PDB file of all heavy atoms in Angstrom:
ATOM      1  N   THR A 198      31.730  -6.197   1.982  1.00  0.00           N
ATOM      2  CA  THR A 198      33.050  -6.674   2.295  1.00  0.00           C
ATOM      3  C   THR A 198      32.991  -7.626   3.364  1.00  0.00           C
ATOM      4  O   THR A 198      32.861  -8.809   3.307  1.00  0.00           O
ATOM      5  CB  THR A 198      33.923  -5.556   2.568  1.00  0.00           C
ATOM      6  OG1 THR A 198      33.329  -4.606   3.606  1.00  0.00           O
ATOM      7  CG2 THR A 198      34.179  -4.631   1.378  1.00  0.00           C
ATOM      8  N   MET A 199      33.038  -7.081   4.693  1.00  0.00           N
ATOM      9  CA  MET A 199      33.154  -8.034   5.815  1.00  0.00           C
ATOM     10  C   MET A 199      32.336  -7.515   7.028  1.00  0.00           C
ATOM     11  O   MET A 199      32.038  -6.399   7.118  1.00  0.00           O
ATOM     12  CB  MET A 199      34.621  -8.149   6.278  1.00  0.00           C
ATOM     13  CG  MET A 199      35.263  -6.806   6.679  1.00  0.00           C
ATOM     14  SD  MET A 199      36.999  -6.886   7.026  1.00  0.00           S
ATOM     15  CE  MET A 199      37.595  -7.180   5.375  1.00  0.00           C
ATOM     16  N   THR A 200      32.087  -8.431   8.021  1.00  0.00           N
ATOM     17  CA  THR A 200      31.444  -8.090   9.294  1.00  0.00           C
ATOM     18  C   THR A 200      32.391  -8.170  10.396  1.00  0.00           C
ATOM     19  O   THR A 200      33.549  -8.643  10.253  1.00  0.00           O
ATOM     20  CB  THR A 200      30.209  -9.047   9.447  1.00  0.00           C
ATOM     21  OG1 THR A 200      30.865 -10.442   9.620  1.00  0.00           O
ATOM     22  CG2 THR A 200      29.366  -9.066   8.271  1.00  0.00           C
ATOM     23  N   HIS A 201      32.037  -7.782  11.541  1.00  0.00           N
ATOM     24  CA  HIS A 201      32.756  -7.902  12.762  1.00  0.00           C
ATOM     25  C   HIS A 201      32.936  -9.443  12.985  1.00  0.00           C
ATOM     26  O   HIS A 201      33.999  -9.850  13.514  1.00  0.00           O
ATOM     27  CB  HIS A 201      32.110  -7.233  13.976  1.00  0.00           C
ATOM     28  CG  HIS A 201      31.976  -5.710  13.766  1.00  0.00           C
ATOM     29  ND1 HIS A 201      30.872  -5.066  13.668  1.00  0.00           N
ATOM     30  CD2 HIS A 201      33.010  -4.706  13.709  1.00  0.00           C
ATOM     31  CE1 HIS A 201      31.038  -3.686  13.512  1.00  0.00           C
ATOM     32  NE2 HIS A 201      32.343  -3.631  13.538  1.00  0.00           N
ATOM     33  N   GLY A 202      31.969 -10.222  12.720  1.00  0.00           N
ATOM     34  CA  GLY A 202      31.999 -11.621  12.905  1.00  0.00           C
ATOM     35  C   GLY A 202      33.103 -12.225  12.174  1.00  0.00           C
ATOM     36  O   GLY A 202      33.713 -13.223  12.603  1.00  0.00           O
ATOM     37  N   PHE A 203      33.322 -11.751  10.890  1.00  0.00           N
ATOM     38  CA  PHE A 203      34.416 -12.387  10.110  1.00  0.00           C
ATOM     39  C   PHE A 203      35.724 -12.192  10.751  1.00  0.00           C
ATOM     40  O   PHE A 203      36.570 -13.069  10.819  1.00  0.00           O
ATOM     41  CB  PHE A 203      34.497 -11.651   8.692  1.00  0.00           C
ATOM     42  CG  PHE A 203      35.566 -12.031   7.850  1.00  0.00           C
ATOM     43  CD1 PHE A 203      35.718 -13.196   7.236  1.00  0.00           C
ATOM     44  CD2 PHE A 203      36.672 -11.018   7.649  1.00  0.00           C
ATOM     45  CE1 PHE A 203      36.810 -13.508   6.525  1.00  0.00           C
ATOM     46  CE2 PHE A 203      37.750 -11.409   6.950  1.00  0.00           C
ATOM     47  CZ  PHE A 203      37.813 -12.634   6.330  1.00  0.00           C
ATOM     48  N   ILE A 204      36.012 -10.986  11.381  1.00  0.00           N
ATOM     49  CA  ILE A 204      37.158 -10.727  12.023  1.00  0.00           C
ATOM     50  C   ILE A 204      37.332 -11.512  13.328  1.00  0.00           C
ATOM     51  O   ILE A 204      38.426 -12.098  13.573  1.00  0.00           O
ATOM     52  CB  ILE A 204      37.347  -9.175  12.340  1.00  0.00           C
ATOM     53  CG1 ILE A 204      37.484  -8.429  11.037  1.00  0.00           C
ATOM     54  CG2 ILE A 204      38.505  -8.898  13.277  1.00  0.00           C
ATOM     55  CD1 ILE A 204      37.158  -6.981  11.106  1.00  0.00           C
ATOM     56  N   GLN A 205      36.278 -11.666  14.003  1.00  0.00           N
ATOM     57  CA  GLN A 205      36.262 -12.447  15.273  1.00  0.00           C
ATOM     58  C   GLN A 205      36.500 -13.958  15.109  1.00  0.00           C
ATOM     59  O   GLN A 205      37.058 -14.626  15.968  1.00  0.00           O
ATOM     60  CB  GLN A 205      34.922 -12.228  15.968  1.00  0.00           C
ATOM     61  CG  GLN A 205      34.776 -10.861  16.534  1.00  0.00           C
ATOM     62  CD  GLN A 205      33.317 -10.628  16.971  1.00  0.00           C
ATOM     63  OE1 GLN A 205      32.349 -11.109  16.381  1.00  0.00           O
ATOM     64  NE2 GLN A 205      33.212  -9.901  18.086  1.00  0.00           N
ATOM     65  N   THR A 206      36.325 -14.384  13.840  1.00  0.00           N
ATOM     66  CA  THR A 206      36.604 -15.847  13.610  1.00  0.00           C
ATOM     67  C   THR A 206      38.185 -16.026  13.724  1.00  0.00           C
ATOM     68  O   THR A 206      38.593 -17.216  13.735  1.00  0.00           O
ATOM     69  CB  THR A 206      36.056 -16.351  12.277  1.00  0.00           C
ATOM     70  OG1 THR A 206      36.570 -15.488  11.241  1.00  0.00           O
ATOM     71  CG2 THR A 206      34.548 -16.285  12.200  1.00  0.00           C
ATOM     72  N   PHE A 207      38.934 -15.006  13.513  1.00  0.00           N
ATOM     73  CA  PHE A 207      40.390 -15.096  13.592  1.00  0.00           C
ATOM     74  C   PHE A 207      40.916 -14.902  15.003  1.00  0.00           C
ATOM     75  O   PHE A 207      42.107 -14.869  15.165  1.00  0.00           O
ATOM     76  CB  PHE A 207      40.952 -14.121  12.517  1.00  0.00           C
ATOM     77  CG  PHE A 207      40.794 -14.627  11.116  1.00  0.00           C
ATOM     78  CD1 PHE A 207      39.629 -14.130  10.570  1.00  0.00           C
ATOM     79  CD2 PHE A 207      41.702 -15.354  10.439  1.00  0.00           C
ATOM     80  CE1 PHE A 207      39.393 -14.473   9.138  1.00  0.00           C
ATOM     81  CE2 PHE A 207      41.473 -15.646   9.095  1.00  0.00           C
ATOM     82  CZ  PHE A 207      40.318 -15.300   8.501  1.00  0.00           C
ATOM     83  N   GLY A 208      40.044 -14.612  15.992  1.00  0.00           N
ATOM     84  CA  GLY A 208      40.413 -14.449  17.378  1.00  0.00           C
ATOM     85  C   GLY A 208      40.209 -12.985  17.766  1.00  0.00           C
ATOM     86  O   GLY A 208      39.457 -12.275  17.259  1.00  0.00           O
ATOM     87  N   MET A 209      40.898 -12.653  18.862  1.00  0.00           N
ATOM     88  CA  MET A 209      40.843 -11.304  19.505  1.00  0.00           C
ATOM     89  C   MET A 209      42.147 -10.524  19.218  1.00  0.00           C
ATOM     90  O   MET A 209      43.181 -11.120  19.128  1.00  0.00           O
ATOM     91  CB  MET A 209      40.598 -11.480  20.981  1.00  0.00           C
ATOM     92  CG  MET A 209      39.233 -12.070  21.370  1.00  0.00           C
ATOM     93  SD  MET A 209      37.892 -10.899  21.200  1.00  0.00           S
ATOM     94  CE  MET A 209      38.256  -9.701  22.421  1.00  0.00           C
TER      95      MET A 209
END
Side-chain angles (χ1 to χ4, degrees):
T198 54
M199 64 183 67
T200 64
H201 297 113
F203 171 72
I204 293 161
Q205 290 168 321
T206 58
F207 291 85
M209 293 285 292

